């Protein structure tokens, strides 16, 4: 065995030079890995005793992608292009031996090898799109040549991982190896290639599949159309499609030039910066500083849910999905029956889409029980209260749970805004009380705000964070304040959206600006979808607000065919002259003179107060990090990931600009725009939100 550098060795096995890379944890393509492969290839090519080469990795995976920590730093070591060149141009056949994952640059390295073999559990993919990039080392040109343009488009724009069995069928792999003998099978394949005098197959020369698509622009037109909604606002998928078009229509070297040009544009652009930032932010959110090292993670093997409404049913499904038994308690049998039926219907709808088997439905439903008696929750490890937002009702429930539940049980509230400390005060064990704020629909939405009360124990926090991960949520730990992090910031946007329509901007103008910014829908379209009558009562209605008047007219949103908008039979939103007239009447009553409101003002008035509120939240210690606020908004409120989140966006726009605008708005519109102390401090010291450290 010959040691090449600190990560690479070369061993002659039966005339095959086996290059082994060992760079934990995922063998990322760092400078030392690139140098190691390059040096080992030089040695293997120069050694007359070596007839062929196998490239494999130690540890749990093949090369799992680029070393993202090197992005933006000066180049070091041999370039990836040089590594690929020596592999592809090798006069001796090169076999890539894949286990674990071959992702991004890792798969692009495998694509320049002459043959590829993998164990059945391996996964292959080009997920660069998830960080706002495209495969920049030939992936957009080689993948279409081996699997065909359609499969390549799907794989690269989704970033999905492909199973080894499917990769074999598509031609991406040449063989599957036994799970426990990848190295042996790869050496045997390399030996056969030499002994049978097989050609050195370079993917760059395989044009059959791309030529078959030439002259068929409809392939790309259809793909763009089918994914228009999914790709809206994102730059990377659009550029990936253009690169695959180039693979079909241009010689490979011209296609590679275009790929490099687009890669550099994306790499230097704001979208990729935002998506790379979010990639780290979403991982960082799990890290809770200051928790006691010995905080025990409690076993949660049974869950009670109080309330079988839409929220309670959705919460229950999260636990059933991972095999944890759930007991739901309701006050009325018909409400309980309806909740249990909702859960079954949700599963059946998933099954109709082919994402769940009939057997899986029955297995999950078998874990679900229900009753009308809180006493049945006495043995549960975790109880989640999901009743309507009323402090007296919640305190009553927690007082009863305190008497019923076993010692060591976690008592959680799904409250979206109420004071968790007051809820906890109804018990003799406030250390066991935590907020688990699920977002609706709870079985779909990724975000979980974990609300730490003043007395919540470290053990209960650690358990809740780990449990969130188990049920597939993105958890963010927040403090107790009205609306916590997400709804507190949302309140700022809602206030300004409502104020703007009284000043002359129509609801559809506000919605359009926020939609164009990247939100799935604007606040008024969202209100129509949710129903304007949420929390409205006919008996108490006093015609004093726009919403009340609309509800009194039976304009309650999409469900009644009219709300802020009029709706046709396909539920297409149409600006409503009726609503326009009502708004103008309200504005006149308030003594407001309608004026032209620019798109720029709409955006700044809706977004900058959100950034300012985020600064107040950090100032008060209600979020650990600025990036945690961004994780909340991307996962719970549809903030476009390619804009990073409100705090990242504030840094991007420039905090001095945000501060200046807040002061300007404060002078012209009032104290609701008063800048946060932290915002003023950051601007004065020339710092950004990203410079803040937890607890600072």
């Amino acid at each position: 065995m010959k040691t090449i550098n600190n990560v690479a060795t070369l061993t002659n096995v039966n005339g095959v030079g086996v290059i082994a890379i060992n760079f934990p944890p995922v063998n990322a393509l760092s400078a030392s890995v690139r140098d190691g492969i390059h040096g080992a290839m030089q040695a293997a090519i120069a050694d007359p005793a070596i007839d062929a080469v196998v490239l494999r990795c130690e540890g749990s995976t093949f090369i799992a992608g680029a070393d993202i920590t090197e992005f933006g730093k000066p180049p070091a070591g041999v370039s990836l292009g040089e590594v690929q060149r020596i592999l592809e141009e090798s006069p001796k056949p090169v076999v890539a031996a894949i286990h674990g994952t071959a992702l991004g640059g890792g798969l692009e390295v495998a694509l320049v090898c002459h043959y590829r073999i993998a164990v059945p559990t391996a996964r292959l993919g080009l997920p660069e799109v998830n960080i706002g990039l495209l495969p920049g080392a030939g992936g957009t040109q080689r993948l279409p040549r081996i699997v065909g343009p359609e499969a390549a488009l799907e794989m690269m724009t989704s970033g999905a991982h492909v199973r080894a069995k499917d990769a074999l069928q598509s031609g991406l792999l040449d063989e599957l190896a036994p799970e426990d003998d990848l190295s042996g099978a790869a050496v045997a394949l390399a030996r056969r290639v030499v002994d049978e005098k097989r050609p050195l197959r370079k993917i760059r020369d395989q044009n059959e599949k791309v030529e078959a698509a030439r002259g068929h622009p409809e392939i790309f037109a259809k793909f763009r159309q089918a994914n228009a909604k999914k790709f809206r606002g994102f730059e990377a998928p659009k550029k990936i499609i253009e690169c695959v078009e180039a693979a079909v229509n241009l010689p490979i070297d011209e296609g590679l030039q275009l790929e490099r040009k687009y890669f550099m544009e994306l790499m230097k652009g704001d979208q990729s910066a935002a998506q790379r930032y979010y990639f780290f932010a979403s991982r960082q959110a799990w890290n809770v500083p200051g928790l006691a090292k010995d905080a025990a993670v409690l076993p949660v093997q049974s869950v009670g849910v109080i309330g079988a409404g839409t929220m309670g049913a959705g919460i229950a499904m999260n636990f059933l999905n991972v095999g944890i038994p759930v007991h739901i308690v309701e006050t009325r049998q018909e409400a309980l029956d309806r909740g249990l039926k909702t859960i079954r219907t949700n599963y059946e709808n998933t099954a109709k889409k082919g994402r769940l088997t009939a057997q899986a439905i029955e297995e999950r439903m078998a874990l679900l029980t229900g009753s009308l008696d809180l006493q049945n929750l006495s043995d549960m490890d975790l109880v989640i209260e999901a009743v309507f937002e009323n402090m007296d009702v919640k305190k009553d429930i927690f007082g009863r749970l305190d008497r019923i539940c076993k010692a060591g049980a976690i008592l959680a509230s799904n409250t979206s805004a109420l004071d968790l400390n007051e809820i906890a005060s109804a018990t003799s064990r406030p250390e066991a009380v935590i907020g688990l704020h699920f977002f609706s629909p709870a079985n779909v939405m990724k975000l979980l705000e974990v609300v730490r009360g003043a007395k919540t124990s470290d053990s209960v926090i650690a358990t809740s964070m780990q449990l969130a991960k188990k049920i597939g949520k993105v958890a963010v730990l927040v403090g107790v304040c009205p609306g916590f992090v997400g709804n507190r910031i949302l309140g700022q946007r809602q206030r300004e959206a409502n104020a703007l329509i009284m000043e002359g901007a129509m609801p559809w103008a506000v919605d359009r600006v926020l939609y164009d910014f990247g939100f799935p829908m604007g606040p008024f379209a969202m209100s129509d979808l949710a129903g304007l009558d949420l929390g409205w009562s006919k008996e108490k209605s006093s015609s004093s607000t726009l919403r009340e008047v609309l509800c009194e007219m039976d304009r309650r949103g999409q469900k009644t065919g009219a709300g802020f908008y009029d709706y046709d039979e396909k539920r297409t939103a149409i600006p409503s002259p009726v609503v326009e007239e009502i708004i103008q009447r309200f504005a006149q009553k308030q003594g407001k003179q309608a004026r032209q409101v620019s798109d720029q003002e709409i955006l700044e008035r809706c977004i900058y107060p959100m950034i300012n509120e985020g600064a107040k939240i950090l100032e008060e210690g209600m979020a650990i990090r600025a990036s945690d606020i961004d994780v909340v908004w991307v996962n719970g409120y549809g903030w476009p990931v390619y804009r990073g989140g409100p705090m990242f966006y504030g840094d991007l726009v420039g905090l001095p600009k945000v501060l200046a605008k807040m002061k300007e708005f404060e002078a012209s519109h009032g104290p609701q725009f008063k800048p946060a102390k932290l915002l003023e401090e950051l601007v004065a010291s020339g710092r950004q939100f990203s410079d803040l450290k937890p607890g600072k």
Side-chain angles (χ1 to χ4, degrees), residues 335-384:
L336 179 62
D337 292 342
R338 193 164 53 244
L340 299 179
K341 186 167 184 279
T342 297
I343 293 172
R344 180 174 280 280
T345 304
N346 285 344
Y347 281 139
E348 283 169 353
N349 289 339
T350 306
K352 278 178 196 160
K353 293 172 189 157
R355 295 206 295 264
L356 205 59
T357 64
Q359 186 189 342
I361 295 175
E362 297 314 320
E363 282 168 3
R364 290 173 196 198
M365 292 305 293
L367 296 169
L368 179 64
T369 51
S371 71
L372 306 181
D373 189 356
L374 278 182
Q375 199 64 45
N376 290 327
L377 304 177
S378 61
D379 275 344
M380 297 291 154
D381 296 324
L382 164 68
V383 177
I384 303 172

Short mmCIF file of all heavy atoms in Angstrom, two decimals, residues 335-384:
data_model
loop_
_atom_site.label_atom_id
_atom_site.label_comp_id
_atom_site.label_asym_id
_atom_site.label_seq_id
_atom_site.Cartn_x
_atom_site.Cartn_y
_atom_site.Cartn_z
N ALA A 335 -67.80 14.68 18.02
CA ALA A 335 -66.55 15.40 17.70
C ALA A 335 -65.39 14.41 17.63
O ALA A 335 -64.52 14.51 16.75
CB ALA A 335 -66.27 16.46 18.75
N LEU A 336 -65.38 13.44 18.53
CA LEU A 336 -64.34 12.41 18.52
C LEU A 336 -64.43 11.58 17.25
O LEU A 336 -63.41 11.36 16.57
CB LEU A 336 -64.48 11.51 19.76
CG LEU A 336 -63.47 10.37 19.88
CD1 LEU A 336 -62.04 10.90 19.98
CD2 LEU A 336 -63.79 9.49 21.09
N ASP A 337 -65.64 11.13 16.92
CA ASP A 337 -65.83 10.31 15.71
C ASP A 337 -65.37 11.06 14.47
O ASP A 337 -64.72 10.50 13.59
CB ASP A 337 -67.30 9.91 15.55
CG ASP A 337 -67.75 8.94 16.65
OD1 ASP A 337 -66.87 8.34 17.30
OD2 ASP A 337 -68.98 8.80 16.87
N ARG A 338 -65.73 12.35 14.44
CA ARG A 338 -65.35 13.18 13.27
C ARG A 338 -63.82 13.28 13.17
O ARG A 338 -63.26 13.16 12.08
CB ARG A 338 -65.98 14.56 13.41
CG ARG A 338 -65.93 15.41 12.15
CD ARG A 338 -66.87 16.61 12.18
NE ARG A 338 -66.70 17.43 13.38
CZ ARG A 338 -67.63 17.60 14.31
NH1 ARG A 338 -68.81 17.02 14.21
NH2 ARG A 338 -67.40 18.36 15.37
N GLY A 339 -63.15 13.46 14.32
CA GLY A 339 -61.69 13.57 14.33
C GLY A 339 -61.01 12.28 13.86
O GLY A 339 -60.08 12.31 13.05
N LEU A 340 -61.51 11.14 14.35
CA LEU A 340 -60.93 9.85 13.96
C LEU A 340 -61.15 9.61 12.46
O LEU A 340 -60.27 9.09 11.76
CB LEU A 340 -61.55 8.70 14.78
CG LEU A 340 -61.34 8.79 16.30
CD1 LEU A 340 -62.01 7.62 17.02
CD2 LEU A 340 -59.86 8.81 16.67
N LYS A 341 -62.32 10.02 11.99
CA LYS A 341 -62.64 9.86 10.56
C LYS A 341 -61.73 10.76 9.71
O LYS A 341 -61.26 10.36 8.64
CB LYS A 341 -64.11 10.21 10.32
CG LYS A 341 -64.60 9.93 8.90
CD LYS A 341 -66.13 10.00 8.82
CE LYS A 341 -66.63 9.62 7.44
NZ LYS A 341 -66.55 10.71 6.48
N THR A 342 -61.48 11.97 10.19
CA THR A 342 -60.58 12.90 9.48
C THR A 342 -59.21 12.27 9.27
O THR A 342 -58.62 12.35 8.19
CB THR A 342 -60.42 14.22 10.28
OG1 THR A 342 -61.69 14.85 10.36
CG2 THR A 342 -59.43 15.17 9.62
N ILE A 343 -58.70 11.63 10.34
CA ILE A 343 -57.38 11.01 10.25
C ILE A 343 -57.37 9.90 9.20
O ILE A 343 -56.49 9.85 8.33
CB ILE A 343 -56.94 10.47 11.64
CG1 ILE A 343 -56.71 11.65 12.60
CG2 ILE A 343 -55.68 9.61 11.53
CD1 ILE A 343 -56.46 11.27 14.04
N ARG A 344 -58.38 9.05 9.23
CA ARG A 344 -58.45 7.95 8.25
C ARG A 344 -58.56 8.53 6.82
O ARG A 344 -57.87 8.07 5.91
CB ARG A 344 -59.63 7.01 8.55
CG ARG A 344 -59.72 5.86 7.53
CD ARG A 344 -60.79 4.86 7.89
NE ARG A 344 -60.36 3.91 8.91
CZ ARG A 344 -59.61 2.84 8.67
NH1 ARG A 344 -59.15 2.60 7.46
NH2 ARG A 344 -59.30 2.02 9.66
N THR A 345 -59.41 9.54 6.67
CA THR A 345 -59.59 10.15 5.33
C THR A 345 -58.28 10.75 4.82
O THR A 345 -57.93 10.60 3.64
CB THR A 345 -60.69 11.24 5.40
OG1 THR A 345 -61.88 10.64 5.90
CG2 THR A 345 -60.97 11.84 4.04
N ASN A 346 -57.55 11.44 5.72
CA ASN A 346 -56.25 12.00 5.32
C ASN A 346 -55.31 10.91 4.82
O ASN A 346 -54.63 11.08 3.79
CB ASN A 346 -55.59 12.74 6.49
CG ASN A 346 -56.24 14.08 6.77
OD1 ASN A 346 -56.96 14.60 5.93
ND2 ASN A 346 -55.98 14.64 7.93
N TYR A 347 -55.26 9.80 5.53
CA TYR A 347 -54.40 8.69 5.11
C TYR A 347 -54.87 8.10 3.79
O TYR A 347 -54.06 7.77 2.91
CB TYR A 347 -54.36 7.60 6.19
CG TYR A 347 -53.45 7.91 7.35
CD1 TYR A 347 -53.81 7.63 8.67
CD2 TYR A 347 -52.20 8.49 7.15
CE1 TYR A 347 -52.97 7.91 9.74
CE2 TYR A 347 -51.35 8.79 8.20
CZ TYR A 347 -51.74 8.49 9.50
OH TYR A 347 -50.91 8.77 10.55
N GLU A 348 -56.19 7.98 3.63
CA GLU A 348 -56.71 7.41 2.38
C GLU A 348 -56.39 8.31 1.19
O GLU A 348 -56.08 7.83 0.10
CB GLU A 348 -58.23 7.16 2.51
CG GLU A 348 -58.53 5.91 3.34
CD GLU A 348 -60.00 5.77 3.73
OE1 GLU A 348 -60.78 6.71 3.47
OE2 GLU A 348 -60.34 4.71 4.30
N ASN A 349 -56.44 9.61 1.42
CA ASN A 349 -56.08 10.55 0.34
C ASN A 349 -54.62 10.42 -0.05
O ASN A 349 -54.26 10.50 -1.22
CB ASN A 349 -56.38 12.00 0.77
CG ASN A 349 -57.88 12.26 0.82
OD1 ASN A 349 -58.66 11.54 0.20
ND2 ASN A 349 -58.30 13.28 1.56
N THR A 350 -53.77 10.19 0.96
CA THR A 350 -52.33 9.98 0.68
C THR A 350 -52.15 8.68 -0.10
O THR A 350 -51.33 8.61 -1.03
CB THR A 350 -51.53 9.91 2.01
OG1 THR A 350 -51.81 11.09 2.75
CG2 THR A 350 -50.04 9.84 1.75
N ALA A 351 -52.91 7.65 0.27
CA ALA A 351 -52.83 6.36 -0.42
C ALA A 351 -53.25 6.49 -1.88
O ALA A 351 -52.65 5.86 -2.77
CB ALA A 351 -53.70 5.33 0.30
N LYS A 352 -54.27 7.32 -2.14
CA LYS A 352 -54.74 7.51 -3.53
C LYS A 352 -53.64 8.10 -4.40
O LYS A 352 -53.61 7.89 -5.62
CB LYS A 352 -55.96 8.46 -3.55
CG LYS A 352 -57.27 7.76 -3.22
CD LYS A 352 -58.43 8.74 -3.21
CE LYS A 352 -59.63 8.12 -2.50
NZ LYS A 352 -60.58 9.16 -2.05
N LYS A 353 -52.74 8.87 -3.77
CA LYS A 353 -51.63 9.46 -4.54
C LYS A 353 -50.45 8.48 -4.65
O LYS A 353 -49.38 8.84 -5.14
CB LYS A 353 -51.16 10.76 -3.85
CG LYS A 353 -52.20 11.86 -3.91
CD LYS A 353 -51.77 13.05 -3.05
CE LYS A 353 -52.90 14.06 -2.92
NZ LYS A 353 -52.77 14.90 -1.74
N GLY A 354 -50.65 7.27 -4.11
CA GLY A 354 -49.61 6.25 -4.22
C GLY A 354 -48.48 6.39 -3.22
O GLY A 354 -47.43 5.77 -3.36
N ARG A 355 -48.71 7.20 -2.16
CA ARG A 355 -47.62 7.43 -1.20
C ARG A 355 -47.79 6.62 0.09
O ARG A 355 -47.02 6.79 1.03
CB ARG A 355 -47.53 8.93 -0.88
CG ARG A 355 -47.13 9.77 -2.08
CD ARG A 355 -46.46 11.06 -1.67
NE ARG A 355 -47.34 11.94 -0.94
CZ ARG A 355 -48.03 12.93 -1.47
NH1 ARG A 355 -47.94 13.17 -2.76
NH2 ARG A 355 -48.80 13.70 -0.74
N LEU A 356 -48.82 5.76 0.13
CA LEU A 356 -49.08 4.97 1.34
C LEU A 356 -49.85 3.72 0.92
O LEU A 356 -50.73 3.79 0.07
CB LEU A 356 -49.92 5.81 2.30
CG LEU A 356 -49.86 5.51 3.81
CD1 LEU A 356 -48.44 5.64 4.33
CD2 LEU A 356 -50.78 6.45 4.57
N THR A 357 -49.51 2.58 1.54
CA THR A 357 -50.23 1.35 1.20
C THR A 357 -51.43 1.19 2.14
O THR A 357 -51.48 1.78 3.22
CB THR A 357 -49.32 0.12 1.37
OG1 THR A 357 -48.96 0.02 2.77
CG2 THR A 357 -48.06 0.23 0.53
N ALA A 358 -52.38 0.36 1.70
CA ALA A 358 -53.56 0.08 2.54
C ALA A 358 -53.13 -0.52 3.87
O ALA A 358 -53.70 -0.21 4.93
CB ALA A 358 -54.50 -0.86 1.79
N GLN A 359 -52.11 -1.37 3.81
CA GLN A 359 -51.61 -2.02 5.03
C GLN A 359 -51.05 -0.96 6.01
O GLN A 359 -51.31 -1.02 7.22
CB GLN A 359 -50.52 -3.03 4.67
CG GLN A 359 -50.06 -3.84 5.89
CD GLN A 359 -48.82 -4.69 5.57
OE1 GLN A 359 -48.50 -4.93 4.41
NE2 GLN A 359 -48.13 -5.14 6.59
N ALA A 360 -50.32 0.01 5.46
CA ALA A 360 -49.73 1.06 6.30
C ALA A 360 -50.83 1.88 6.99
O ALA A 360 -50.70 2.27 8.15
CB ALA A 360 -48.83 1.98 5.48
N ILE A 361 -51.93 2.12 6.27
CA ILE A 361 -53.06 2.86 6.87
C ILE A 361 -53.57 2.10 8.09
O ILE A 361 -53.75 2.67 9.17
CB ILE A 361 -54.22 3.06 5.86
CG1 ILE A 361 -53.78 3.95 4.70
CG2 ILE A 361 -55.44 3.68 6.57
CD1 ILE A 361 -54.83 4.11 3.60
N GLU A 362 -53.79 0.81 7.90
CA GLU A 362 -54.35 -0.01 9.00
C GLU A 362 -53.38 -0.09 10.18
O GLU A 362 -53.79 -0.06 11.33
CB GLU A 362 -54.73 -1.42 8.51
CG GLU A 362 -55.83 -1.43 7.45
CD GLU A 362 -57.02 -0.52 7.77
OE1 GLU A 362 -57.45 -0.46 8.95
OE2 GLU A 362 -57.52 0.16 6.85
N GLU A 363 -52.08 -0.18 9.88
CA GLU A 363 -51.07 -0.23 10.96
C GLU A 363 -51.12 1.06 11.79
O GLU A 363 -51.03 1.03 13.01
CB GLU A 363 -49.67 -0.42 10.36
CG GLU A 363 -49.39 -1.85 9.92
CD GLU A 363 -48.12 -1.97 9.08
OE1 GLU A 363 -47.42 -0.95 8.88
OE2 GLU A 363 -47.86 -3.09 8.61
N ARG A 364 -51.26 2.18 11.10
CA ARG A 364 -51.31 3.46 11.82
C ARG A 364 -52.60 3.63 12.60
O ARG A 364 -52.58 4.06 13.74
CB ARG A 364 -51.12 4.62 10.82
CG ARG A 364 -49.69 4.65 10.30
CD ARG A 364 -49.47 5.64 9.19
NE ARG A 364 -48.21 5.31 8.50
CZ ARG A 364 -47.54 6.13 7.73
NH1 ARG A 364 -47.98 7.34 7.52
NH2 ARG A 364 -46.42 5.76 7.15
N MET A 365 -53.71 3.27 11.96
CA MET A 365 -55.01 3.42 12.63
C MET A 365 -55.10 2.50 13.85
O MET A 365 -55.79 2.82 14.83
CB MET A 365 -56.16 3.13 11.66
CG MET A 365 -56.32 4.16 10.55
SD MET A 365 -56.50 5.88 11.10
CE MET A 365 -58.11 5.83 11.92
N ALA A 366 -54.39 1.37 13.80
CA ALA A 366 -54.41 0.42 14.94
C ALA A 366 -53.73 1.02 16.18
O ALA A 366 -53.97 0.59 17.31
CB ALA A 366 -53.72 -0.88 14.55
N LEU A 367 -52.90 2.05 15.95
CA LEU A 367 -52.20 2.70 17.08
C LEU A 367 -53.05 3.80 17.70
O LEU A 367 -52.65 4.42 18.68
CB LEU A 367 -50.88 3.31 16.59
CG LEU A 367 -49.81 2.36 16.07
CD1 LEU A 367 -48.69 3.15 15.39
CD2 LEU A 367 -49.24 1.52 17.21
N LEU A 368 -54.23 4.08 17.09
CA LEU A 368 -55.04 5.22 17.50
C LEU A 368 -56.26 4.78 18.31
O LEU A 368 -57.00 3.90 17.89
CB LEU A 368 -55.50 5.97 16.24
CG LEU A 368 -56.38 7.20 16.43
CD1 LEU A 368 -55.64 8.30 17.19
CD2 LEU A 368 -56.85 7.72 15.07
N THR A 369 -56.43 5.39 19.48
CA THR A 369 -57.64 5.15 20.29
C THR A 369 -58.21 6.50 20.70
O THR A 369 -57.53 7.53 20.60
CB THR A 369 -57.31 4.32 21.56
OG1 THR A 369 -56.22 4.95 22.25
CG2 THR A 369 -56.95 2.89 21.22
N GLY A 370 -59.44 6.50 21.15
CA GLY A 370 -60.06 7.76 21.56
C GLY A 370 -61.09 7.53 22.65
O GLY A 370 -61.62 6.42 22.80
N SER A 371 -61.36 8.57 23.44
CA SER A 371 -62.38 8.47 24.48
C SER A 371 -62.84 9.87 24.88
O SER A 371 -62.34 10.87 24.35
CB SER A 371 -61.83 7.74 25.71
OG SER A 371 -60.89 8.57 26.39
N LEU A 372 -63.77 9.93 25.85
CA LEU A 372 -64.28 11.22 26.34
C LEU A 372 -63.79 11.49 27.76
O LEU A 372 -64.34 12.34 28.46
CB LEU A 372 -65.82 11.22 26.31
CG LEU A 372 -66.47 10.86 24.97
CD1 LEU A 372 -67.98 10.93 25.07
CD2 LEU A 372 -65.98 11.78 23.85
N ASP A 373 -62.75 10.76 28.18
CA ASP A 373 -62.33 10.83 29.58
C ASP A 373 -60.85 11.16 29.71
O ASP A 373 -59.98 10.37 29.30
CB ASP A 373 -62.63 9.46 30.24
CG ASP A 373 -62.43 9.51 31.75
OD1 ASP A 373 -62.00 10.56 32.27
OD2 ASP A 373 -62.71 8.48 32.40
N LEU A 374 -60.54 12.34 30.29
CA LEU A 374 -59.14 12.74 30.49
C LEU A 374 -58.37 11.73 31.34
O LEU A 374 -57.16 11.60 31.22
CB LEU A 374 -59.08 14.11 31.18
CG LEU A 374 -59.22 15.38 30.35
CD1 LEU A 374 -59.07 16.61 31.23
CD2 LEU A 374 -58.22 15.44 29.21
N GLN A 375 -59.09 11.02 32.19
CA GLN A 375 -58.47 10.03 33.08
C GLN A 375 -57.65 9.00 32.28
O GLN A 375 -56.67 8.45 32.77
CB GLN A 375 -59.57 9.32 33.89
CG GLN A 375 -59.06 8.61 35.14
CD GLN A 375 -58.48 9.55 36.19
OE1 GLN A 375 -59.05 10.59 36.48
NE2 GLN A 375 -57.31 9.21 36.73
N ASN A 376 -58.06 8.77 31.02
CA ASN A 376 -57.37 7.78 30.18
C ASN A 376 -55.98 8.24 29.76
O ASN A 376 -55.25 7.50 29.10
CB ASN A 376 -58.21 7.48 28.92
CG ASN A 376 -59.46 6.70 29.28
OD1 ASN A 376 -59.46 5.91 30.21
ND2 ASN A 376 -60.54 6.95 28.55
N LEU A 377 -55.61 9.46 30.13
CA LEU A 377 -54.27 9.97 29.79
C LEU A 377 -53.28 9.79 30.94
O LEU A 377 -52.16 10.27 30.88
CB LEU A 377 -54.36 11.46 29.40
CG LEU A 377 -55.32 11.79 28.25
CD1 LEU A 377 -55.36 13.30 28.01
CD2 LEU A 377 -54.92 11.05 26.98
N SER A 378 -53.71 9.10 31.99
CA SER A 378 -52.90 9.02 33.21
C SER A 378 -51.53 8.37 33.00
O SER A 378 -50.58 8.71 33.70
CB SER A 378 -53.66 8.26 34.31
OG SER A 378 -53.93 6.94 33.86
N ASP A 379 -51.42 7.47 32.02
CA ASP A 379 -50.15 6.77 31.81
C ASP A 379 -49.34 7.30 30.64
O ASP A 379 -48.31 6.73 30.28
CB ASP A 379 -50.42 5.27 31.57
CG ASP A 379 -50.54 4.53 32.89
OD1 ASP A 379 -50.12 5.09 33.90
OD2 ASP A 379 -51.09 3.41 32.89
N MET A 380 -49.80 8.36 30.00
CA MET A 380 -49.12 8.86 28.79
C MET A 380 -47.79 9.52 29.14
O MET A 380 -47.66 10.19 30.16
CB MET A 380 -50.01 9.88 28.06
CG MET A 380 -51.32 9.30 27.56
SD MET A 380 -51.03 8.15 26.21
CE MET A 380 -52.48 7.11 26.36
N ASP A 381 -46.81 9.35 28.24
CA ASP A 381 -45.50 9.99 28.43
C ASP A 381 -45.56 11.48 28.05
O ASP A 381 -44.82 12.30 28.59
CB ASP A 381 -44.44 9.30 27.56
CG ASP A 381 -44.22 7.86 27.98
OD1 ASP A 381 -44.29 7.59 29.19
OD2 ASP A 381 -43.99 7.00 27.10
N LEU A 382 -46.41 11.79 27.07
CA LEU A 382 -46.56 13.18 26.60
C LEU A 382 -48.04 13.43 26.34
O LEU A 382 -48.71 12.61 25.71
CB LEU A 382 -45.77 13.38 25.29
CG LEU A 382 -46.08 14.62 24.44
CD1 LEU A 382 -45.67 15.90 25.15
CD2 LEU A 382 -45.39 14.54 23.08
N VAL A 383 -48.55 14.56 26.83
CA VAL A 383 -49.93 14.95 26.53
C VAL A 383 -49.88 16.33 25.88
O VAL A 383 -49.23 17.26 26.38
CB VAL A 383 -50.80 15.02 27.81
CG1 VAL A 383 -52.21 15.51 27.46
CG2 VAL A 383 -50.87 13.65 28.47
N ILE A 384 -50.54 16.45 24.71
CA ILE A 384 -50.58 17.73 23.99
C ILE A 384 -52.01 18.25 23.98
O ILE A 384 -52.92 17.58 23.48
CB ILE A 384 -50.09 17.57 22.53
CG1 ILE A 384 -48.67 16.98 22.50
CG2 ILE A 384 -50.11 18.92 21.80
CD1 ILE A 384 -48.19 16.60 21.11
#
